[in-house]
Amino acid sequence: MSLRSGPRTLARANGSIFGTIRRISGINAVRTYANGTSNGKEDTTHFGYKTVKKEDKEKLVGDVFSSVASSYDVMNDAMSLGIHRLWKSHFINRLDAGMRPGSNRALDFLDVAGGTGDIAFGLLEHAQKKYNDTSSTMTVADINPDMLREGEKRYLNTKWNDGSDRVKFLVQNGEIMDQIEDNSKDVYTIAFGIRNFTNIQAGLNTAYRVLRPGGIFACLEFSQVENPALDYIYQAYSFSLLPLMGQLIADDRESYQYLVESIRKFPKQEEFKGMIEKAGFYVPEKGYENLTFGVASIHIGVKL
Amino acid sequence: MLASSRVVASTKLWTGLALQKRQFVLTAATTAVGALLFSENNRLANQMERGQLHRKDARESNSEASQPFFKRKEPNYPGHIPLYNFEKLLMVLGSSIGAYTHPEKNQFIVALGESTAIAPVLRRLQHQMLSDPVGRQILHERPRMTSTSLNLDYLKSLPENTIGRTYINWLEKEGVSPDTRVAVKYIDDEELAYVYQRYRECHDFYHAITGLPIIIEGEIAVKVFEYMNIGIPMSGLGALFAPFHIKPSQRERLYSIYYPWAFKSGLNSKPLINVYWENILEEDINEFREKMGIEQPPDLRALRKEYFAKLKAAKKIV
């Protein structure tokens, strides 16, 4: 510590010592314990780039989604420049779910983490337009009641709200799903939800449990961009612009920082395909379809 | 002659055809071999060999995740988010558009203030504080305005003409509470971040000693006053552009009464950043104003009431 100007050094010394103490007890403490085993605690997991206890992650994710619920769609449009609509409609078209003409049993759709309901209503719309299917049921499950409330609000204004009780909204934890029986669903969709699960494998196992034999598991999720040059641009965009948009448009920088960090932490395409196979699904070659160079990816599994 | 030309022609044709055939064969062979060598399975196998395909342990810090392309510098203080220069520039652009179109939303003012408060400006303020004994004390002790440092009940118990009492009276008149101001996140130097935080927290006191209300006109007037005295760029931008949003009658009032007052008082008064508000709550406010050289502007709410009463009366007659 060189003596330059007396008061300034004093202020700096006090300021920086105090600052150092605060700093050590603050962020960096979490960073040094990035590897759970070195700390002796086996029950930690990642929350974006931070390390948190497993039992805390659910609440932290819940807080994130409660705070983004009201501006969710606006932010999705702003962040993906509207491309998320293309992804979702391609997902629905490819899934091509609907009771075929000549069939005698209506299908049961389950949309997990479907809070605001865009996939759910899109599936019903597709089934009705393409197959004239007006009897398949839809259950929208989400662990976060605020997101689900947004979905219910939207539902009230759609044509599916015709008193026929086709659409149900349930607050459910995707890893447990206690209100959904085994072998009771034909289509299980989860769009941009599974990366928030505390235990992704448990979520996949539960998906296997609730699907009927012949049922399809379809997951649309952010994934890794394979091309390094594009990945560079993608990362620069997502780490600098997305939190800035969250800060200015939604007044919530932390939630969108969590979003981009959780995207990085999600398993890559092949690894996630392995996890789906581990849950018991049959994964047809190649098992995943990259959208927009790998920014998003559709994973499919079939329960045999 | 005809025969030889035919031979020449057919030779040319034959070599032309052979060239084309050779090109086709080479291209087809290259494509086939390439497809065999660089197929999807081979590419994935290469990646697996390099260990880039699967993560062995979900907790293990993956080499890619730990050295991502985009990395931020280490924070200098808790809550600090170090931004790159292009991000700061984008924040200036985005928040200035937002603050102009939606001045009531706090996030734009916060972002605009922090991104335009560049280091030279804050360093000048820091030097101003360091040249004054009270300023040095503030930098040394780093007081933050919390519910304990500004105990409202205690303020209410103070005699009428004190600074603390004036402050609580103003809070009640405007119907606001001294809620904690947003913490500074984007200013890189730790001490400069504290200087800006101090500026942000003292804003309500500037309102209280001048008596200006929280309506947009009052805020603009305070911003001009602040800019003339303290020099934060965001307040200057507000002073320049915010009047374009308000009604012409309000603008006229601002330009004719409050801007001149703000220029005069702001420039002639002592630096407000060096006032240790928490320690002078019991001082007499008129003495304080005289000492600092601050004149009180005309009561804005009273002026507005007069103006609306005049309008109503005019309409009644007409």
Side-chain angles (χ1 to χ4, degrees):
Chain A
M1 226 181 308
S2 60
L3 293 163
R4 275 190 282 144
S5 55
R8 183 158 184 183
T9 316
L10 187 65
R12 199 174 185 88
N14 278 324
S16 58
I17 288 175
F18 189 51
T20 316
I21 293 173
R22 284 160 75 194
R23 213 181 311 142
I24 286 179
S25 61
I27 301 173
N28 287 352
V30 181
R31 292 227 172 140
T32 51
Y33 292 128
N35 187 351
T37 49
S38 79
N39 194 18
K41 284 200 206 125
E42 293 291 331
D43 57 348
T44 58
T45 179
H46 55 80
F47 178 71
Y49 283 167
K50 299 195 189 68
T51 303
V52 299
K53 287 212 212 63
K54 278 211 172 103
E55 54 258 24
D56 295 335
K57 175 161 178 173
E58 199 177 291
K59 177 174 182 304
L60 288 168
V61 174
D63 290 341
V64 165
F65 279 94
S66 290
S67 78
V68 303
S70 52
S71 54
Y72 191 67
D73 285 326
V74 171
M75 281 303 298
N76 279 349
D77 275 331
M79 291 192 293
S80 66
L81 309 168
I83 298 178
H84 75 109
R85 296 173 190 262
L86 294 174
W87 290 337
K88 286 171 182 164
S89 64
H90 177 75
F91 179 64
I92 293 170
N93 287 337
R94 189 174 148 192
L95 199 53
D96 209 10
M99 182 172 80
R100 301 303 196 256
S103 158
N104 58 354
R105 180 175 72 78
L107 297 178
D108 298 301
F109 301 150
L110 171 64
D111 185 29
V112 181
T116 52
D118 44 11
I119 295 284
F121 303 140
L123 280 170
L124 290 173
E125 184 73 34
H126 179 92
Q128 187 192 23
K129 273 226 178 74
K130 194 157 176 197
Y131 299 110
N132 234 344
D133 171 7
T134 49
S135 43
S136 294
T137 67
M138 165 65 75
T139 306
V140 180
D142 198 303
I143 196 174
N144 187 299
D146 296 307
M147 293 288 284
L148 207 63
R149 210 171 302 131
E150 284 293 318
E152 275 175 312
K153 265 200 295 199
R154 222 162 283 185
Y155 164 69
L156 294 174
N157 297 331
T158 60
K159 61 181 173 188
W160 312 112
N161 183 18
D162 52 6
S164 69
D165 209 21
R166 277 175 76 190
V167 182
K168 274 209 299 280
F169 290 86
L170 295 174
V171 176
Q172 290 283 278
N173 182 336
E175 299 171 18
I176 306 169
M177 304 268 245
D178 44 9
Q179 286 178 36
I180 302 188
E181 297 124 22
D182 305 359
N183 298 324
S184 61
K185 300 290 171 194
D186 295 292
V187 176
Y188 178 114
T189 52
I190 180 164
F192 301 119
I194 202 159
R195 79 174 178 283
N196 300 303
F197 280 32
T198 309
N199 184 341
I200 298 177
Q201 191 64 55
L204 295 170
N205 296 341
T206 309
Y208 189 80
R209 173 181 72 77
V210 302
L211 277 173
R212 290 198 182 100
I216 299 185
F217 166 84
C219 166
L220 171 65
E221 190 52 78
F222 288 113
S223 201
Q224 317 294 343
V225 176
E226 270 141 21
N227 183 324
L230 288 172
D231 197 17
Y232 181 80
I233 303 171
Y234 175 55
Q235 277 191 53
Y237 172 74
S238 51
F239 277 92
S240 57
L241 282 176
L242 294 190
L244 182 65
M245 278 195 242
Q247 180 194 349
L248 292 180
I249 301 176
D251 196 13
D252 188 357
R253 193 185 176 102
E254 291 77 30
S255 298
Y256 292 91
Q257 184 69 29
Y258 161 72
L259 166 74
V260 294
E261 290 177 357
S262 67
I263 293 175
R264 294 283 312 159
K265 283 286 187 179
F266 190 69
K268 296 179 174 218
Q269 284 91 327
E270 285 290 327
E271 194 182 338
F272 191 55
K273 172 183 166 183
M275 291 169 82
I276 296 176
E277 284 175 333
K278 185 170 167 189
F281 289 103
Y282 163 70
V283 178
E285 241 357 89
K286 143 183 173 206
Y288 56 87
E289 180 190 348
N290 279 341
L291 306 174
T292 320
F293 306 111
V295 173
S297 181
I298 300 177
H299 286 260
I300 302 274
V302 183
K303 174 172 178 173
L304 291 177
Chain B
M1 212 208 0
L2 211 57
S4 66
S5 71
R6 217 179 287 150
V7 168
V8 168
S10 65
T11 325
K12 277 208 185 118
L13 198 62
W14 181 84
T15 48
L17 265 176
L19 257 170
Q20 280 185 328
K21 188 171 163 195
R22 207 178 304 153
Q23 266 179 349
F24 170 74
V25 167
L26 272 176
T27 318
T30 318
T31 314
V33 170
L36 280 175
L37 281 179
F38 298 108
S39 69
E40 182 69 18
N41 279 338
N42 286 1
R43 187 182 69 77
L44 287 173
N46 287 336
Q47 270 193 325
M48 187 152 40
E49 206 174 358
R50 279 178 249 141
Q52 288 171 356
L53 201 57
H54 303 115
R55 291 204 193 113
K56 296 181 191 62
D57 181 8
R59 271 194 310 261
E60 185 185 284
S61 54
N62 180 293
S63 59
E64 257 187 58
S66 59
Q67 276 121 47
F69 287 127
F70 190 93
K71 236 172 102 174
R72 289 204 190 278
K73 298 189 272 264
E74 284 299 309
N76 290 335
Y77 51 89
H80 179 215
I81 299 176
L83 292 180
Y84 289 104
N85 285 337
F86 78 93
E87 291 182 283
K88 287 187 190 159
L89 186 63
L90 283 171
M91 197 184 285
V92 171
L93 292 172
S95 58
S96 51
I97 297 171
Y100 186 70
T101 52
H102 282 281
E104 75 281 2
K105 288 213 177 136
N106 197 33
Q107 70 241 35
F108 295 125
I109 307 288
V110 163
L112 184 63
E114 283 187 44
S115 50
T116 51
I118 49 179
V121 170
L122 290 175
R123 233 170 262 139
R124 174 186 61 78
L125 267 181
Q126 185 191 34
H127 281 163
Q128 205 174 40
M129 288 176 86
L130 288 171
S131 327
D132 179 87
V134 181
R136 285 198 288 269
Q137 193 189 5
I138 298 176
L139 278 180
H140 182 87
E141 294 174 13
R142 298 232 181 149
R144 294 287 301 270
M145 294 199 186
T146 61
S147 49
T148 44
S149 66
L150 286 181
N151 191 333
L152 293 183
D153 297 320
Y154 168 65
L155 291 178
K156 271 202 213 134
S157 70
L158 289 171
E160 196 50 51
N161 265 341
T162 51
I163 293 177
R165 190 59 190 272
T166 316
Y167 177 62
I168 187 85
N169 287 346
W170 179 84
L171 285 178
E172 284 177 359
K173 183 172 164 214
E174 299 296 324
V176 291
S177 71
D179 40 31
T180 335
R181 293 279 168 169
V182 175
V184 167
K185 288 198 206 84
Y186 307 109
I187 293 178
D188 291 330
D189 184 274
E190 200 210 344
E191 191 157 87
L192 299 181
Y194 173 73
V195 172
Y196 193 79
Q197 183 80 46
R198 179 77 187 162
Y199 156 73
R200 198 179 262 170
E201 290 180 349
C202 295
H203 180 78
D204 276 348
F205 272 100
Y206 306 148
H207 270 283
I209 60 168
T210 54
L212 287 165
I214 56 171
I215 52 179
I216 188 77
E217 270 183 81
E219 290 286 351
I220 297 177
V222 174
K223 279 275 176 283
V224 187
F225 177 60
E226 274 179 359
Y227 183 63
M228 286 297 137
N229 188 294
I230 305 176
I232 298 283
M234 181 256 299
S235 40
L237 286 171
L240 265 181
F241 296 113
F244 296 139
H245 252 309
I246 56 180
K247 299 202 199 82
S249 63
Q250 293 175 314
R251 208 180 311 151
E252 202 252 312
R253 197 184 307 141
L254 259 188
Y255 284 159
S256 59
I257 305 176
Y258 288 97
Y259 270 47
W261 160 79
F263 289 146
K264 185 165 169 219
S265 269
L267 286 172
N268 292 333
S269 59
K270 296 220 186 82
L272 280 169
I273 193 82
N274 287 332
V275 176
Y276 202 144
W277 298 102
E278 293 91 330
N279 286 352
I280 59 168
L281 291 171
E282 290 111 8
E283 278 188 28
D284 183 77
I285 186 156
N286 297 313
E287 274 179 34
F288 173 74
R289 283 203 201 107
E290 247 188 76
K291 194 170 50 156
M292 293 290 287
I294 301 173
E295 283 173 14
Q296 235 195 335
D299 187 337
L300 182 55
R301 286 208 187 269
L303 276 182
R304 282 166 62 93
K305 248 198 245 165
E306 259 181 60
Y307 176 73
F308 286 131
K310 244 194 289 184
L311 268 186
K312 240 167 75 184
K315 282 209 183 98
K316 271 202 184 131
I317 296 175
V318 167

